[in-house]
Amino acid sequence: MSEMTRREALAVMASLPLFAALRPLADRLGLEAIETASRAAEEALAGPPYTPKFFTPQEWRTVRLLADLVIPRDARSGSATDAGAPEFMDYILSEYPDQQLGIRGGLAWLDAESERRYGTRFVESGGPSQRAVLDDIAWPGRARPEMKPGAAFFSRFRDLIAAGFWSSPMGIADLQYMGNTGMAEFPGCPPEALRKLGVSYG
């Protein structure tokens, strides 16, 4: 049996409820765009320090910080930046101009909101202040009316970062997805599962 291709893995993930982040992007751009962006991010991580094609230097600092607030490093895997999710996002936005306005406008909104509250841009505002702003925009359905633009941006941002992370080799490894693996024989359902269901093979 041949190894599952990245495209096949992405197709499977995009069809699962857990990977709702991949589905909107896959529906808009196609799985090929996700695969191409993922490969571009991999290449960017392997090469010299990355220079963004779409983001300004200030936006890039914010994107990288925000990405790691969305998917931080943990005991199981690296962070969004370790996986190349910001580079993935930069590729998508540089190749698909119709995706740009909401992200660039949202980053400006984030800085403006941080300036209004704390007198400084988001990246300089510090952990507790950053979390306070994000708490107000993390749940679009619960966001106050004045926070709705920020909530719409943050949902879109999370989708792109999650798609970049889960389509990367690090993200796929984090899933511990084994794909279709051959078995010499099928022993049936494990006995503990049969007991839990109250059924038997007899």
Side-chain angles (χ1 to χ4, degrees):
M1 182 179 297
S2 65
E3 182 179 328
M4 178 179 270
T5 68
R6 181 187 300 228
R7 180 171 291 148
E8 291 167 338
L10 290 172
V12 169
M13 289 189 300
S15 68
L16 300 173
L18 177 61
F19 298 98
L22 284 176
R23 173 158 255 137
L25 194 59
D27 288 347
R28 274 195 296 278
L29 305 178
L31 287 175
E32 188 172 329
I34 294 174
E35 182 179 8
T36 302
S38 182
R39 289 195 191 286
E42 270 184 76
E43 290 169 12
L45 288 177
Y50 183 74
T51 302
K53 296 177 181 131
F54 170 72
F55 293 111
T56 67
Q58 175 61 37
E59 289 170 338
W60 190 237
R61 287 181 58 213
T62 304
V63 165
R64 291 176 61 79
L65 170 71
L66 194 53
D68 282 351
L69 290 172
V70 171
I71 302 178
R73 180 180 293 119
D74 62 17
R76 187 161 149 162
S77 72
S79 67
T81 57
D82 294 333
E87 289 81 358
F88 173 95
M89 179 186 281
D90 187 61
Y91 178 87
I92 291 289
L93 296 174
S94 66
E95 293 292 315
Y96 299 93
D98 62 315
Q99 305 292 309
Q100 296 174 355
L101 184 62
I103 297 296
R104 178 156 279 152
L107 291 169
W109 182 93
L110 196 61
D111 275 343
E113 182 62 20
S114 186
E115 288 272 358
R116 185 185 70 76
R117 292 185 191 195
Y118 311 111
T120 185
R121 289 180 175 179
F122 184 79
V123 293
E124 285 97 21
S125 65
S129 300
Q130 292 162 350
R131 282 189 292 282
V133 172
L134 296 181
D135 285 346
D136 287 343
I137 62 175
W139 303 98
R142 296 184 202 162
R144 296 186 314 270
E146 67 273 17
M147 296 289 117
K148 294 286 184 188
F153 152 72
F154 193 52
S155 288
R156 181 78 182 108
F157 185 92
R158 266 192 315 240
D159 286 350
L160 282 165
I161 289 300
F165 182 83
W166 297 114
S167 66
S168 74
M170 181 182 294
I172 291 170
D174 184 67
L175 294 172
Q176 299 176 357
Y177 177 70
M178 296 175 58
N180 295 328
T181 54
M183 300 173 72
E185 64 179 60
F186 180 66
C189 189
E192 57 275 3
L194 291 172
R195 280 192 299 278
K196 182 176 181 175
L197 294 171
V199 297
S200 68
Y201 283 119

